[in-house]
Amino acid sequence: MHDKHSERMSATERRAAVGLALVFAFRMLGMFMVLPVLATYGQALDGATPALIGLAIGAYGLTQAILQIPFGALSDRIGRRPVIIGGLLIFAVGAAVAACSHSIWGVIAGRILQGAGAISAAVMALLSDLTREQNRTKAMATIGMSIGVSFAVAMVGGPLLTRAFGLSGLFWTTVGLALVGLLLVLFVVPVSSRAMQHRESSVARQALGATLRNPDLLRLNLGIGVLHAVLMSSFVVLPLAMAERAGLPKEEHWWVYLTALVVGFFAMVPFIIYGEKKRQMKRVLLGAVAILALCELFFYVFYAHLIALIVSIIIFFTAFNLLEASLPSLVSKVAPAGGKGTAMGIYSTSQFLGSAAGGILGGWLFQHGGLSIVFLGCAALCVVWLVVAATMREPPYVTSLRMPLTPAAAKDKGLAERLMALPGVADAIVVTNSDEMAVYIKIDTKQVDRAALEQLVNSASAA
């Protein structure tokens, strides 16, 4: 029997974290592998136009945005596993439709179906069911890392696979990855004995209104939407700029992305450490958005010069990786106690809407104005984001905690007030539903005496 207070992950928790991280990674691979290749190889598809290629790049974001929160709610009702299994099957069918298609419309239909397998919320909820409170952050971090790694692998693997097997081979690989994910869910991920209500990892209807009215969360939602719109729009034209204007054959693009992602990953780390340690995340965020805007202007000026283009792609990915890593952390800091799951659900929806809008807008601008107009449009979006982000407050440097309560403690009307009176406690909410008796607390780890906090909650429980 594993000690329930142990800080070490149990074998079951490790299996859950690794298994679900791989499910996430394989699905993200399938989504992103087309990004660096569709603009170049997609031109051979029947009926392909720049606008339709842009739609194919971003189409998955539409269904993903619409279905992500409803699928999460459905998993509360019918169980996590049926929703995840169903989502992976829909995703595999979508990839198969795209693999069998010789026309751009078939690929668009396949991408829309791929997005309909919207299992992110259900996967996160299952992870909460299978891990204990003290190990949940580690488990979530495992999934976060798997997403970052899968994006990097997709950017390099997409061009290599397409060079070897063509676009249809790329989509068949995606079908295989989805089926491997299905096997992981069936045979590796442990079966949960309970579906836990957990406001840190799932959307709570009660928190929706407050989350949608929070100005700092709205700024961050706009930010992730713009970031993914700029990414998708840029990839409608960047591969073409490299292949047709700068003279680098499309079969060679993989090493540019590999260099950009490796350098970008290591280059962003000092900025993240500086922002967190010195509590200057707003400054880091604004700097990264400004660099993103400058990169787009650099693309606009130098898209026909190979070395300049490669250098600016490397800087672009440094800023992109930095923003991709820091925005979710900012959301969890800014979200009210017990509102993190809801805030992240809306944030993810904004991200997918941005992906869809970026692909569609990039394709439309390219068709009507050429390469340079797309880069100018992306730069303009970044400037809008910069202006909006400049008005946000420095985020509170707090960590979210959830502590389960006994029925006796849940009846303690003054518990939230007493917790809020402790130095370093920024926010606290006591939830007393019969299916979710817990207290959610936001604490500044530099100020809070964790032992005093636990003693206060435990003494309320004992009373």
Side-chain angles (χ1 to χ4, degrees):
M1 183 70 189
H2 200 269
D3 176 10
K4 70 176 186 173
H5 297 297
S6 168
E7 291 294 322
R8 291 183 60 186
M9 291 180 89
S10 68
T12 302
E13 287 174 321
R14 279 196 298 274
R15 261 177 54 209
V18 172
L20 290 172
L22 286 170
V23 169
F24 232 110
F26 290 152
R27 195 171 142 278
M28 297 305 278
L29 265 175
M31 290 291 193
F32 283 126
M33 277 198 299
V34 301
L35 196 53
V37 296
L38 209 50
T40 46
Y41 288 86
Q43 292 173 325
L45 293 165
D46 295 341
T49 65
L52 291 178
I53 286 173
L55 177 57
I57 285 173
Y60 81 93
L62 284 172
T63 37
Q64 189 90 18
I66 293 164
L67 294 173
Q68 193 206 197
I69 289 176
F71 272 25
L74 184 65
S75 81
D76 288 338
R77 293 211 169 164
I78 66 169
R80 320 293 189 207
R81 289 168 77 86
V83 169
I84 295 170
I85 289 165
L88 285 169
L89 287 171
I90 293 169
F91 181 81
V93 168
V97 167
C100 295
S101 297
H102 299 292
S103 79
I104 188 68
W105 286 108
V107 170
I108 290 167
R111 293 282 283 169
I112 287 172
L113 260 179
Q114 276 188 308
I119 58 169
S120 310
V123 168
M124 288 307 210
L126 181 57
L127 191 69
S128 291
D129 296 345
L130 291 167
T131 51
R132 289 163 301 147
E133 211 62 50
Q134 63 267 39
N135 292 325
R136 197 158 293 127
T137 305
K138 285 182 240 174
M140 298 279 187
T142 308
I143 284 192
M145 282 192 306
S146 80
I147 294 170
V149 170
S150 64
F151 180 72
V153 172
M155 297 304 290
V156 178
L160 288 172
L161 278 167
T162 313
R163 181 170 80 172
F165 306 109
L167 260 186
S168 68
L170 181 72
F171 282 116
W172 282 122
T173 304
T174 302
V175 174
L177 288 170
L179 296 178
V180 172
L182 198 60
L183 292 173
L184 285 167
V185 174
L186 291 172
F187 300 111
V188 175
V189 176
V191 176
S192 169
S193 56
R194 72 224 157 107
M196 188 171 71
Q197 293 298 312
H198 194 298
R199 296 184 182 208
E200 295 297 277
S201 58
S202 58
V203 172
R205 274 199 300 276
Q206 307 91 317
L208 269 172
T211 307
L212 287 167
R213 288 192 299 271
N214 184 310
D216 282 336
L217 286 175
L218 289 175
R219 288 183 183 91
L220 294 169
N221 293 336
L222 172 83
I224 193 63
V226 169
L227 183 64
H228 280 258
V230 166
L231 179 72
M232 295 297 163
S233 287
S234 297
F235 272 93
V236 171
V237 289
L238 265 182
L240 292 171
M242 278 198 288
E244 294 175 9
R245 306 298 172 89
L248 184 71
K250 59 189 178 185
E251 294 79 14
E252 300 292 319
H253 289 188
W254 65 271
W255 65 260
V256 176
Y257 300 130
L258 178 62
T259 308
L261 285 157
V262 170
V263 173
F265 176 78
F266 287 107
M268 75 156 181
V269 173
F271 295 104
I272 293 273
I273 293 169
Y274 165 77
E276 290 289 353
K277 283 262 191 289
K278 302 286 186 188
R279 302 199 162 189
Q280 293 286 347
M281 281 308 293
K282 180 182 174 182
R283 181 184 290 180
V284 170
L285 177 81
L286 293 177
V289 178
I291 286 168
L292 211 60
L294 289 171
C295 283
E296 292 293 341
L297 292 173
F298 218 75
F299 293 152
Y300 169 70
V301 176
F302 294 109
Y303 65 77
H305 301 80
L306 186 60
I307 301 300
L309 190 60
I310 291 170
V311 168
S312 48
I313 288 172
I314 291 169
I315 297 168
F316 175 89
F317 272 110
T318 303
F320 176 84
N321 287 340
L322 180 54
L323 289 162
E324 186 78 355
S326 56
L327 282 168
S329 154
L330 288 168
V331 170
S332 63
K333 285 178 171 64
V334 171
K340 183 175 155 190
T342 307
M344 288 307 296
I346 295 167
Y347 170 87
S348 296
T349 300
S350 308
Q351 173 182 323
F352 294 125
L353 284 172
S355 297
I360 294 163
L361 183 69
W364 187 85
L365 284 174
F366 179 38
Q367 188 159 322
H368 292 90
L371 280 170
S372 54
I373 296 300
V374 180
F375 295 133
L376 280 180
C378 288
L381 274 177
C382 292
V383 169
V384 170
W385 180 11
L386 191 60
V387 170
V388 171
T391 61
M392 76 181 264
R393 294 168 299 183
E394 189 67 45
Y397 288 83
V398 290
T399 302
S400 302
L401 289 181
R402 177 187 186 274
M403 295 182 179
L405 294 174
T406 62
K411 292 191 180 113
D412 182 346
K413 294 282 188 279
L415 179 58
E417 286 75 17
R418 289 204 303 282
L419 285 166
M420 292 278 285
L422 287 175
V425 174
D427 196 8
I429 177 174
V430 175
V431 180
T432 56
N433 306 341
S434 56
D435 57 348
E436 185 196 12
M437 279 189 277
V439 58
Y440 294 91
I441 316 166
K442 308 274 288 195
I443 61 166
D444 182 334
T445 49
K446 284 189 180 176
Q447 291 184 46
V448 160
D449 179 353
R450 181 77 180 261
L453 192 68
E454 288 179 357
Q455 190 180 354
L456 183 58
V457 173
N458 291 335
S459 64
S461 295

